[in-house]
Amino acid sequence: MLRSLYSGISGLKNFQTKLDVVSNNIANVNTYGFKKSRITFKDAISQTIATATEGETGGRGGTNAIQVGLGSEVASIDTVHTEGSIQTTGRILDLAISGGDSYFVVSDGDQLYYTRAGNFYFDEEGYLVNADGYRVQGYDPDGNRIDIQVDFETQDVAGFSISPTGIFYIQNEAGDVQELATFVLARFNNPGGMLKVGGNLFVESQNSGEPIFGTGGGAYGTINSGKLEMSNVDLTEEFTEMIVAQRAFQSNARIITTSDEILQELVNLKR
């Protein structure tokens, strides 16, 4: 059977995967805190027809190996953790991290999750949660990690604010300001190693390294209240990649049809 058939098939599969990645990026162009993905390829194994030979002293020179490639494979599908554009919302509990590579930390009670989507809300008990009800993590004034909570029933709360370093302040009717908590932020040695679990959430993996917890400022970046980080998807780039993938898919399909025509000619030799 012609090797070109299987090379063409591998190309079709790979560029179909590329289209899947591109389409997911485009689908999330308006998703807060979304980090786009990219796909890279590598050549598959090569069949060696003749090995390399060593030259002879004073005689013939050496020859290179003769190899035929057998298609391509997916090398990686990477998550690109560049910062997205910042959109102003004017809502105090909409938070965006700028100038840093850290993540907000939320918890479902059993596991910690990490996100760049800072659209947070209060639940009925006064806990600060994300859209899925996961509680936002913070440090109390003593440095203990807690679920950030405002007790609206017992505390005199007239308003609240969040500083660029992530300190959550509440203000009473008399105008007195009290520090409630400080947002916990997390950084990773290899952010690309984190796993996406849906809902704009990431979890650590064996290759991401353990989270390095801290607060706003320095490499962790500043927290901007009243703003949200948009998706880092560039539609111009994605549509270009879609065209490239489409043309490459068509080219690989043409390889298969051409190989089929050659096989048909071989079959027709015996009439």
Side-chain angles (χ1 to χ4, degrees):
M1 187 64 71
L2 294 174
R3 299 185 189 93
S4 57
L5 271 176
Y6 295 102
S7 295
I9 291 171
S10 70
L12 289 179
K13 291 181 178 179
N14 292 336
F15 284 104
Q16 177 60 62
T17 304
K18 183 180 179 70
L19 283 172
D20 294 340
V21 172
V22 170
S23 63
N24 182 65
N25 288 341
I26 294 175
N28 286 281
V29 68
N30 287 323
T31 301
Y32 293 127
F34 178 79
K35 299 304 174 187
K36 66 182 179 181
S37 299
R38 70 171 186 184
I39 187 171
T40 62
F41 302 111
K42 62 182 179 182
D43 64 329
I45 189 172
S46 295
Q47 182 177 1
T48 301
I49 298 175
T51 60
T53 60
E54 185 179 1
E56 301 175 2
T57 304
R60 296 175 58 182
T63 59
N64 296 328
I66 300 175
Q67 295 180 296
V68 177
L70 299 178
S72 61
E73 298 175 346
V74 174
S76 67
I77 299 178
D78 308 314
T79 302
V80 181
H81 289 265
T82 55
E83 185 176 318
S85 301
I86 303 297
Q87 177 184 357
T88 299
T89 65
R91 181 174 174 270
I92 295 177
L93 294 181
D94 286 344
L95 307 178
I97 300 172
S98 63
D101 57 357
S102 61
Y103 298 81
F104 295 109
V105 183
V106 298
S107 173
D108 62 357
D110 297 319
Q111 185 176 359
L112 295 179
Y113 299 87
Y114 310 93
T115 181
R116 294 282 291 198
N119 49 314
F120 299 132
Y121 314 87
F122 285 120
D123 67 6
E124 71 280 1
E125 297 179 347
Y127 286 101
L128 191 64
V129 298
N130 73 349
D132 293 318
Y134 294 3
R135 293 178 178 177
V136 181
Q137 301 297 289
Y139 291 121
D140 65 16
D142 295 326
N144 302 310
R145 198 177 77 205
I146 60 170
D147 299 332
I148 297 179
Q149 181 187 25
V150 177
D151 191 346
F152 291 100
E153 294 184 359
T154 61
Q155 291 178 303
D156 178 13
V157 180
F160 47 85
S161 62
I162 300 167
S163 74
T165 56
I167 301 176
F168 197 111
Y169 294 103
I170 58 175
Q171 182 179 357
N172 60 22
E173 295 289 350
D176 298 325
V177 177
Q178 175 189 352
E179 179 182 334
L180 178 69
T182 303
F183 283 84
V184 175
L185 300 179
R187 299 177 65 227
F188 291 85
N189 291 330
N190 176 27
M194 290 193 294
L195 298 177
K196 292 182 177 181
V197 293
N200 295 332
L201 301 176
F202 296 88
V203 295
E204 64 177 285
S205 72
Q206 293 179 335
N207 198 40
S208 67
E210 295 183 355
I212 306 169
F213 295 112
T215 57
Y220 288 87
T222 58
I223 296 179
N224 299 279
S225 177
K227 296 177 174 60
L228 283 173
E229 180 182 356
M230 299 297 292
S231 167
N232 65 349
V233 173
D234 183 344
L235 279 180
T236 303
E237 177 184 351
E238 298 304 323
F239 282 127
T240 301
E241 292 297 326
M242 181 186 296
I243 294 172
V244 170
Q246 179 184 12
R247 296 307 182 193
F249 191 94
Q250 292 173 339
S251 299
N252 281 276
R254 184 59 58 85
I255 290 174
I256 294 176
T257 57
T258 301
S259 299
D260 177 62
E261 291 172 0
I262 293 174
L263 287 174
Q264 184 65 40
E265 290 296 327
L266 292 175
V267 172
N268 291 337
L269 288 177
K270 180 68 172 70
R271 295 183 183 273

